[in-house]
Amino acid sequence: MENTKHALIIGASRGLGLGLANTLAERGWQVTATTRNTLPECHAAINWLTLDINDAAQRSTVKQSLNDKQFEVIFVNAGVFGPAHQDLKQTSDEEMLSLFITNTISPVRCAAELQPLLAADSGILALMSSQLGSLSENPSGAYPLYSASKAALNMLSHQLRESTDPQRQTLLCVHPGWVQTDMGGSDATLTVSQSVNGLADQLDKWRGKGGHHYIDYAGNQLAW
């Protein structure tokens, strides 16, 4: 079992996070995953931890519980869509703050705090972003509140290179595609299985590449 790869998936109670955790476990990875509440139905080999990424004390507790571990992949998936209307004029300051804390600030803080657990040279630190977070890829400005939170995630995550570059690790902001989840809706073009199998493929493909890259589930590089 010396060649077993280890992955830590932050935010895996449902949807893409759960799908990715199951897929990696099925491929023989040793997977640790987090959930805020009850455990979902999942692959029996997944090791579960409790974490609300917006809770600094819980982030510290999870980090301490994993201090003797090393991971080839740390994937921060947690996030929300925000107000359904996606209209700034209808949105309170409190709603905007909650959206940006959950989609931008806490994921980047979580990634920064966990980065010391990532393997040097081959390690991948990935954050779930969106194609919508790019002005080039989303010229119409669709879903502006959600998109703005992902654009901010892309920018703030770039600072993580200060830690990943010296360790020759690879930093990824990842677009999963338009997926049939609670967030993506039933009209989406991809199933969860199609998306997460693509994501799992990229976690193998990008090992050892280094740098900071904005890609989709199929490996296409996106314009920032």
Side-chain angles (χ1 to χ4, degrees), residues 28-45:
W29 289 62
Q30 186 169 321
V31 178
T32 301
T34 72
T35 177
R36 286 185 301 169
N37 299 304
T38 57
L39 298 184
E41 294 184 11
C42 63
H43 193 286

Side-chain angles (χ1 to χ4, degrees), residues 59-109:
R59 294 199 306 267
S60 178
T61 297
V62 165
K63 167 70 183 312
Q64 291 175 14
S65 73
L66 296 171
N67 269 340
D68 62 340
K69 307 291 186 183
Q70 188 175 73
F71 298 94
E72 280 70 39
V73 166
I74 297 175
F75 201 122
V76 183
N77 169 68
V80 296
F81 182 67
H85 51 71
Q86 290 289 298
D87 185 346
L88 182 61
K89 297 187 296 295
Q90 300 182 51
T91 307
S92 69
D93 291 349
E94 291 75 16
E95 288 174 316
M96 286 298 294
L97 180 60
S98 177
L99 174 63
F100 273 75
I101 286 176
T102 301
N103 278 10
T104 307
I105 298 169
S106 292
V108 176
R109 282 182 170 160

Side-chain angles (χ1 to χ4, degrees), residues 21-210:
N22 282 329
T23 296
L24 292 179
E26 290 164 1
R27 293 187 181 196
W29 289 62
Q30 186 169 321
V31 178
T32 301
T34 72
T35 177
R36 286 185 301 169
N37 299 304
T38 57
L39 298 184
E41 294 184 11
C42 63
H43 193 286
I46 298 174
N47 176 47
W48 288 95
L49 300 172
T50 299
L51 175 64
D52 180 342
I53 63 166
N54 294 334
D55 188 318
Q58 286 190 26
R59 294 199 306 267
S60 178
T61 297
V62 165
K63 167 70 183 312
Q64 291 175 14
S65 73
L66 296 171
N67 269 340
D68 62 340
K69 307 291 186 183
Q70 188 175 73
F71 298 94
E72 280 70 39
V73 166
I74 297 175
F75 201 122
V76 183
N77 169 68
V80 296
F81 182 67
H85 51 71
Q86 290 289 298
D87 185 346
L88 182 61
K89 297 187 296 295
Q90 300 182 51
T91 307
S92 69
D93 291 349
E94 291 75 16
E95 288 174 316
M96 286 298 294
L97 180 60
S98 177
L99 174 63
F100 273 75
I101 286 176
T102 301
N103 278 10
T104 307
I105 298 169
S106 292
V108 176
R109 282 182 170 160
C110 191
E113 291 162 5
L114 293 171
Q115 183 268 336
L117 305 179
L118 191 64
D121 299 318
S122 62
I124 291 178
L125 181 59
L127 297 97
M128 192 69 84
S129 184
S130 172
Q131 187 177 31
L132 297 173
S134 164
L135 287 172
S136 298
E137 306 286 349
N138 181 18
S140 69
Y143 307 111
L145 305 187
Y146 174 78
S147 299
S149 72
K150 292 300 187 178
L153 173 75
N154 288 348
M155 176 58 74
L156 283 184
S157 64
H158 194 65
Q159 190 175 23
L160 296 170
R161 289 193 66 173
E162 294 177 3
S163 298
T164 58
D165 279 359
Q167 297 297 316
R168 301 166 303 281
Q169 296 159 339
T170 304
L171 178 61
L172 299 178
C173 288
V174 182
H175 169 55
W178 184 22
V179 189
Q180 296 167 11
T181 61
D182 290 345
M183 187 182 297
S186 59
D187 292 333
T189 55
L190 295 172
T191 65
V192 169
S193 177
Q194 288 171 323
S195 174
V196 298
N197 273 285
L199 293 176
D201 290 343
Q202 300 315 311
L203 296 178
D204 280 321
K205 174 184 174 181
W206 285 90
R207 294 181 69 194
K209 300 290 188 181

